[in-house]
């Protein structure tokens, strides 16, 4: 399968291309808020290095949540735009799903609670069975809520793992990554079923920025 994978959900801007005439290519940079400025150049570079034309693509994968509002929109809009031109499906995969898959790649088939720091004193989390199936939808809540989600035999993965482990020191941490591994995203995208509709961002809470009371459009 000829695949393009995109992740701009968090602080990294990452692209992977596989299935081309040359070996698979993965490019990832920590860009903070500069995803839009870097993404298209990285896609072009990865496609060129992999020896693949856009018309060759069979599928595009993109992370859909959790993550920053702007980052998610940039990645998903880019994936959908390219897919519209090429005529291929887009697969949306959660960042926590990728973190859990990365943990299983390191430890084998074990149940994983993936956690990311959501700021505001909260944590994004989602539990996965040893075989990879999600045991519920991604959620955001207090550290106490996340701790209550941990079950016997779980391992922790993701940049929010230390917040949970501070109260449950017996739970092992497999990795502490924030941005998902783009190579793992690409591997997952090959085996998941293509959706009937294009993916959309899945927001777990309201945006940080809110309209100010009494604010209006400036007039000359």
């Amino acid at each position: 399968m000829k695949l393009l994978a995109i992740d701009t959900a968090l602080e990294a801007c990452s692209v992977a291309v596989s299935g081309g005439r040359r070996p698979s290519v993965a490019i990832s940079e920590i860009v903070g808020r500069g995803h839009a400025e870097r993404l298209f150049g990285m896609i072009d570079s990865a496609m060129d290095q992999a020896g693949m034309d856009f018309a060759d693509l069979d599928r595009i994968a993109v992370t859909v949540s959790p993550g920053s509002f702007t980052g998610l929109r940039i990645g998903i809009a880019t994936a959908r735009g390219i897919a519209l031109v090429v005529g291929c499906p887009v697969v949306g995969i959660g960042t926590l799903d990728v973190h859990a898959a990365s943990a299983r790649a390191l430890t084998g088939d074990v149940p994983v609670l993936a956690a990311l720091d959501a700021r505001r004193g909260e944590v994004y989390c989602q539990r996965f069975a040893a075989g990879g199936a999600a045991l519920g939808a991604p959620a955001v809540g207090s550290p106490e809520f996340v701790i209550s989600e941990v079950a016997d035999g779980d391992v922790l993965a993701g940049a929010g793992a230390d917040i949970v482990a501070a109260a449950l020191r017996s739970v092992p941490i497999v990795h502490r990554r924030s941005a998902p591994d783009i190579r793992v995203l690409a591997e997952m995208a090959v085996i998941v079923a293509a959706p009937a509709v294009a993916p959309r961002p899945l927001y777990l809470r309201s945006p940080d920025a809110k309209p100010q009371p009494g604010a209006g459009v400036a007039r000359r």
Side-chain angles (χ1 to χ4, degrees), residues 17-214:
V17 177
S18 60
R21 298 186 299 275
R22 301 173 193 148
S24 299
V25 176
I27 304 172
S28 184
E29 297 179 7
I30 302 300
V31 299
R33 298 172 181 265
H35 299 91
E37 292 79 8
R38 294 291 298 126
L39 181 56
F40 282 100
M42 292 171 69
I43 292 173
D44 286 339
S45 178
M47 294 287 288
D48 182 63
Q49 291 179 51
M52 191 186 302
D53 296 325
F54 284 95
D56 297 332
L57 288 171
D58 297 310
R59 179 173 292 190
I60 299 173
V62 64
T63 43
V64 295
S65 179
S68 75
F69 287 84
T70 301
L72 290 172
R73 287 195 297 269
I74 290 169
I76 293 172
T78 301
R80 292 180 61 170
I82 295 173
L84 184 63
V85 174
V86 173
C88 68
V90 182
V91 174
I93 297 177
T95 53
L96 297 171
D97 295 73
V98 182
H99 282 315
S102 296
R104 291 192 302 275
L106 293 170
T107 63
D109 289 338
V110 295
V112 181
L113 187 139
L116 292 172
D117 187 352
R119 307 190 185 278
R120 303 187 197 170
E122 293 183 319
V123 180
Y124 296 121
C125 71
Q126 189 173 14
R127 285 194 71 234
F128 298 86
L135 297 175
V140 61
S142 67
E144 292 76 19
F145 163 74
V146 179
I147 289 166
S148 71
E149 294 290 294
V150 179
D152 290 342
D154 282 355
V155 299
L156 302 175
D162 283 311
I163 298 173
V164 181
L168 298 172
R169 298 185 184 278
S170 62
V171 182
I173 298 175
V174 179
H175 71 76
R176 295 175 169 84
R177 300 187 190 113
S178 175
D181 187 322
I182 190 65
R183 291 186 183 275
V184 174
L185 172 64
E187 292 169 0
M188 295 176 69
V190 172
I191 60 175
V192 301
V197 296
R200 296 179 178 273
L202 174 62
Y203 299 131
L204 300 184
R205 66 183 184 194
S206 301
D208 291 334
K210 296 181 180 179
Q212 297 297 316

